[in-house]
Amino acid sequence: MTTATATTGGLAWLREGARVLTLRAPRWQGLEARPLTLAVLAAALLLSAVAVQRMVTEGSPTLLWRSFLHGWTDFALMAWLCWIVARSARTTEPPAPTAATLLALAWSAGLLLAWVDGAAVLALSAALGPVDAWPESVYWASWLLSIAWLGFAQIALLWRFAAGGLARVAVLLVMPLALAISSWLAPTTFWWSEPAPDPDAWAGLPLTDEVVDAQPQLLARALAGLQPPAPGRVNVYALTYAPYASEDVFMRESAVVAKTMRERFGADGRLVELVVNPATVTTLPWATPLHLRKAIAHIATVMDRERDVLFLHLTSHGGADGKLAADTSPMQTGPMTPELLKRWLDEAGVRWRVVSVSACYSGSWIPPLADDGTLVMTAADADHTSYGCGKLSELTFFGRAMYEEELRKTWSFAEAHAAARKVIAVREQEAGKSDGYSNPQISEGAGVRRVLDRLEAELGKR
């Protein structure tokens, strides 16, 4: 290569790269791809990628310097593919370009397309605003068009010089792989922006002095206000437990269950709601394991343990390990388990129990709790999720069907649960639940059944 050629070599590579990009045969004779040529082209490609990514990154992002150490797989695959093509054509007439020349031509085309991409981003941003505001169809169309254009141009370049079936198969297989790695499987990210704060994100409970001071008083007042049992009949004492503060659906479900217990089962004055939610920090005692244990122990001292029934409704997210999730941030509160609940009920001497668990996988609560004096009903079996416990839900499917609908028609928990199962099955299918029917479960001991039969008969006469 002469001194004059070396001086104009950069422009020559770009000119021939433009021919590659427009699917024309490159005029490579006279061009020599030296190590410095490849180094300059590789650096230019990297810097162009950095510049284009900066254009589409909002705010004041940080440059991730370590990213320059990543993303070389597609470069290596491209170099290997150029070597295969050049080797396949080394005996042809006229002689084919060297592997280094082919690589320089391919990279020159990629560099020009990167500049076109940058210009397109600037134009679209001027017309449509920041990239985040572009219609999704425009964003994906521009991205896919650039990848497809470069891939087709580089395949056409190597196809011209591949002098054998194996070389052409390699071009068709390896080139898309290199593009997929760089653009989809392992794209290199050069810029990182701190995500904008989400105004709707869960910020935790407001633990102000007033809140912290109020909580012991709220629990003490709720327990002190419990009325003694009315003599000569089965009284229902009720306790709700909603320990997941960042989703209002559990607070609403607690309120619905409490209303049903008051209006249908005469629990007004014999009910305690334990709820963790920012909206109730100064009106209701928190749903924490300690408060639940204290409430159970105190209710047991007020009720007639030989005659009366303690109803407990627990609502939260549930895990396949049987634990009922708690979200009380910034407080640290452990999850509830059926084993803990049974121990506290046994310690308090509560004989007749109705336990309702509205959570995913809640069927796992039945074996530890089931006995002669207990009715346990759940929103799901041990292998399936329940439904309707997301941020956008008004009530869970189980809570709505059981407490807002079916227990308004009967005083029998078993009958209401059987009817709710059918309603839930239909609604889950209509909602497109994809992991199978939640399959709510129930277990009723013979002893508690006789007590609940008496309760149903007494309520029917009032």
Side-chain angles (χ1 to χ4, degrees), residues 95-155:
T98 65
T101 300
L102 286 173
L103 187 60
L105 288 169
W107 283 356
S108 297
L111 180 60
L112 286 173
L113 187 58
W115 295 349
V116 172
D117 287 342
V121 168
L122 291 175
L124 288 170
S125 296
L128 302 175
V131 174
D132 289 344
W134 294 5
E136 191 171 342
S137 58
V138 173
Y139 176 84
W140 286 107
S142 61
W143 182 72
L144 291 173
L145 178 62
S146 175
I147 294 173
W149 186 3
L150 179 62
F152 194 65
Q154 292 182 340
I155 288 174

Side-chain angles (χ1 to χ4, degrees), residues 298-447:
H298 185 81
I299 290 173
T301 65
V302 177
M303 69 190 301
D304 181 343
R305 282 175 282 184
E306 295 302 315
R307 180 188 295 270
D308 297 339
V309 173
L310 175 58
F311 169 89
L312 300 99
H313 180 78
L314 302 93
T315 178
S316 182
H317 292 296
D321 59 0
K323 294 179 179 179
L324 194 72
D327 182 6
T328 58
S329 176
M331 293 192 302
Q332 294 185 356
T333 302
M336 269 302 300
T337 66
E339 291 79 11
L340 270 179
L341 182 59
K342 178 173 175 55
R343 185 200 311 165
W344 297 342
L345 290 168
D346 290 345
E347 290 173 350
V350 177
R351 184 174 181 184
W352 309 119
R353 316 157 180 180
V354 174
V355 180
S356 168
V357 189
S358 179
C360 296
Y361 308 107
S362 47
S364 60
W365 282 59
I366 288 180
L369 290 170
D371 60 27
D372 183 70
T374 305
L375 183 151
V376 189
M377 49 189 173
T378 67
D381 61 24
D383 302 312
H384 289 91
T385 61
S386 54
Y387 213 58
C389 52
K391 288 180 181 286
L392 301 180
S393 301
E394 183 68 22
L395 289 175
T396 68
F397 280 27
F398 178 74
R400 183 183 299 281
M402 185 73 193
Y403 294 99
E404 198 171 58
E405 297 172 354
E406 299 307 324
L407 274 178
R408 294 286 171 177
K409 306 171 186 175
T410 179
W411 289 286
S412 167
F413 292 105
E415 288 181 9
H417 191 272
R421 279 176 51 86
K422 298 176 183 178
V423 172
I424 291 168
V426 172
R427 289 175 179 168
E428 287 181 351
Q429 189 173 15
E430 292 174 346
K433 188 173 187 291
S434 59
D435 67 335
Y437 175 41
S438 58
N439 194 24
Q441 298 291 294
I442 189 169
S443 170
E444 186 178 24

Side-chain angles (χ1 to χ4, degrees), residues 40 50 99 106 168 191 230 262 307 396 448:
V40 169
V50 170
R168 290 188 168 184
W191 298 96
R262 290 189 185 100
R307 180 188 295 270
T396 68
V448 77

Side-chain angles (χ1 to χ4, degrees), residues 5 73 137 201 248 251 266 279 283 294 340 386 462:
T5 303
T73 304
S137 58
D248 292 346
M251 173 187 66
T283 57
K294 287 183 175 181
L340 270 179
S386 54
R462 294 181 193 175

Side-chain angles (χ1 to χ4, degrees), residues 1 35 46 60 120 144 162 166 217 225 270 310 344 360 455 461:
M1 184 181 293
L46 280 174
S60 301
L144 291 173
L166 290 177
Q217 300 178 48
R270 300 185 179 90
L310 175 58
W344 297 342
C360 296
L455 173 65
K461 294 175 182 178

